[in-house]
Amino acid sequence: MTLLSIVTWNSADSIEDCLQSVLAQTHAGFTVWVVDNASTDDTCARVAALAATDTRIQLHPLPENTGFCGGHNYVLDRTESDAVLLVNPDVVLPPDYLARALAVLHSDERIGTVCGVLLQSTDVDPVVDSAGMVALPGGRFALRHHGRPLSSVRFAAKVEDVPGADGALPLYRRRFIDDLRVEGAFFDARFFAHKEDWDISWRSQLYGWRTVLATQCHALHPRHFRPSDLRLRLRLNGAMKADAVKNQLLLLLKNPTPQQLPGLWLRALPRQVAILLFALLLEPRSLRAYSYLWRNWRAAWNARRQIQTRAARGWQPAAFTVQPTLPAAIIQQLHTVAASA
């Protein structure tokens, strides 16, 4: 069974198109959880109306906004499906998307994440929103091929290894989800929203998992928010701007290995100083990001210790487990057989 997880917040203008495309998937055997983050519009009413016509949809309204991270953690902590597709409420899928992505996921047990090519429109030659993510100097990242016409992009193969997957539509393996949990949670709730996908991708690299782009999987995603777009940033509310600053600092604190930490921070420092000066002069509400880190640095450092301890073990294939009530000699024989298989 496959699970599709959708987190909504005032998503009435897009959720029906999203769900209709989800329900039209050719792959059989999936359920859809819609977690609503205390929307003030009629998102829940629209989802409930569709759920009344299709039992595959479950609506879970929350009393407060827990963000992208909290909403998806709610789903992941209460389900056990072998694979989970996270779907942004403004995404529209073609009918074969899930079937194609699952085929790629099941092709190699080391693949933890599958992403597709997200397009910003249904034009004849649409602009690419993302085709995975790439790492930039100083612990930053970028969307691969963002803003390029699809016709100008040449993919090397049907399946390409990429450094990361955009959080708008990643397909995750359950064992990958459980392996990446830190302090019991898959997504770090401190991120709330934005850059949590790069946090997952970075951790995935540290643990030895593969993230792949299925180049034949296309979906519609008209992106509305990018913190690096200064013109758009000026129109955003203060909380979103502060999250963008805070989350980059969390990334730099938690994920670099001990060997990488000095050099990466040295490369990141000029930009971080510029961001601090920008906040002091033009965006004072973003200064709350620094006060947050000051108050919570111990918790973040504890998360770092857990991540780096697990990262030191590298890739670990699926564990072979037996009932502990078996005699020790039989258990040892089974482990020997598994190791030689």
Side-chain angles (χ1 to χ4, degrees):
M1 181 66 72
T2 302
L3 175 70
L4 280 68
S5 176
I6 303 175
V7 174
T8 56
W9 180 72
N10 293 338
S11 307
D13 61 342
S14 63
I15 189 59
E16 289 170 307
D17 288 341
C18 175
L19 285 174
Q20 293 287 6
S21 74
V22 163
L23 296 175
Q25 292 300 296
T26 57
H27 176 80
F30 66 88
T31 57
V32 185
W33 280 37
V34 180
V35 175
D36 184 74
N37 269 323
S39 291
T40 56
D41 62 7
D42 63 343
T43 297
C44 284
R46 293 174 185 245
V47 175
L50 283 171
T53 66
D54 197 310
T55 58
R56 290 176 294 179
I57 300 177
Q58 298 183 32
L59 174 61
H60 297 263
L62 301 184
E64 61 181 346
N65 188 353
T66 62
F68 178 97
C69 296
H72 284 301
N73 279 344
Y74 177 95
V75 176
L76 299 177
D77 293 346
R78 291 165 174 80
T79 57
E80 297 179 347
S81 57
D82 292 336
V84 182
L85 179 67
L86 273 55
V87 185
N88 267 23
D90 57 351
V91 164
V92 175
L93 304 172
D96 62 350
Y97 187 96
L98 183 57
R100 286 178 178 269
L102 283 169
V104 173
L105 184 72
H106 295 322
S107 68
D108 181 358
E109 70 163 345
R110 196 159 179 169
I111 296 176
T113 310
V114 176
C115 60
V117 180
L118 302 184
L119 306 172
Q120 293 189 345
S121 73
T122 57
D123 296 342
V124 174
D125 187 16
V127 171
V128 174
D129 179 57
S130 71
M133 296 193 294
V134 293
L136 298 178
R140 298 167 56 238
F141 66 95
L143 302 173
R144 292 180 77 232
H145 303 309
H146 177 80
R148 293 179 58 185
L150 181 60
S151 61
S152 72
V153 179
R154 296 290 180 265
F155 296 110
K158 292 182 178 179
V159 176
E160 297 182 0
D161 283 87
V162 292
D166 185 357
L169 193 62
L171 176 65
Y172 293 133
R173 186 186 300 272
R174 174 63 66 166
R175 193 166 68 82
F176 167 86
I177 291 170
D178 291 339
D179 188 28
L180 262 69
R181 289 181 181 273
V182 177
E183 298 170 338
F186 179 67
F187 285 113
D188 187 338
R190 287 176 285 256
F191 280 69
F192 190 79
H194 312 305
K195 303 188 182 182
E196 74 294 318
D197 46 7
W198 186 241
D199 185 48
I200 292 296
S201 298
W202 198 336
R203 196 149 75 244
S204 171
Q205 295 174 49
L206 291 174
Y207 293 7
W209 287 94
R210 290 179 64 195
T211 297
V212 301
L213 170 72
T215 60
Q216 294 183 322
C217 290
H218 292 187
L220 176 66
H221 182 235
R223 185 177 302 268
H224 299 297
F225 171 66
R226 294 192 71 201
S228 59
D229 186 334
L230 292 181
R231 287 179 297 179
L232 175 59
R233 189 181 183 95
L234 293 174
R235 302 197 300 268
L236 297 175
N237 68 57
M240 295 177 73
K241 297 174 186 178
D243 275 343
V245 176
K246 164 180 63 67
N247 294 350
Q248 184 61 40
L249 292 171
L250 284 170
L251 286 169
L252 293 171
L253 178 63
K254 295 194 310 171
N255 295 320
T257 65
Q259 296 76 22
Q260 295 171 336
L261 196 62
L264 190 143
W265 264 97
L266 189 62
R267 290 189 295 272
L269 191 59
R271 180 179 179 85
Q272 290 304 314
V273 170
I275 290 172
L276 175 59
L277 292 174
F278 181 85
L280 286 168
L281 297 174
L282 299 173
E283 202 174 272
R285 294 190 66 182
S286 290
L287 294 174
R288 69 179 69 178
Y290 301 97
S291 63
Y292 178 92
L293 263 296
W294 178 257
R295 297 191 308 272
N296 294 277
W297 73 268
R298 289 184 185 276
W301 194 258
N302 286 337
R304 171 185 169 75
R305 280 202 293 262
Q306 184 174 333
I307 291 168
Q308 299 304 322
T309 298
R310 167 63 188 87
R313 299 197 298 270
W315 161 251
Q316 295 183 324
F320 183 81
T321 58
V322 297
Q323 294 296 325
T325 54
L326 291 175
I330 295 178
I331 293 176
Q332 182 59 45
Q333 291 175 7
L334 291 172
H335 278 294
T336 301
V337 171
S340 61

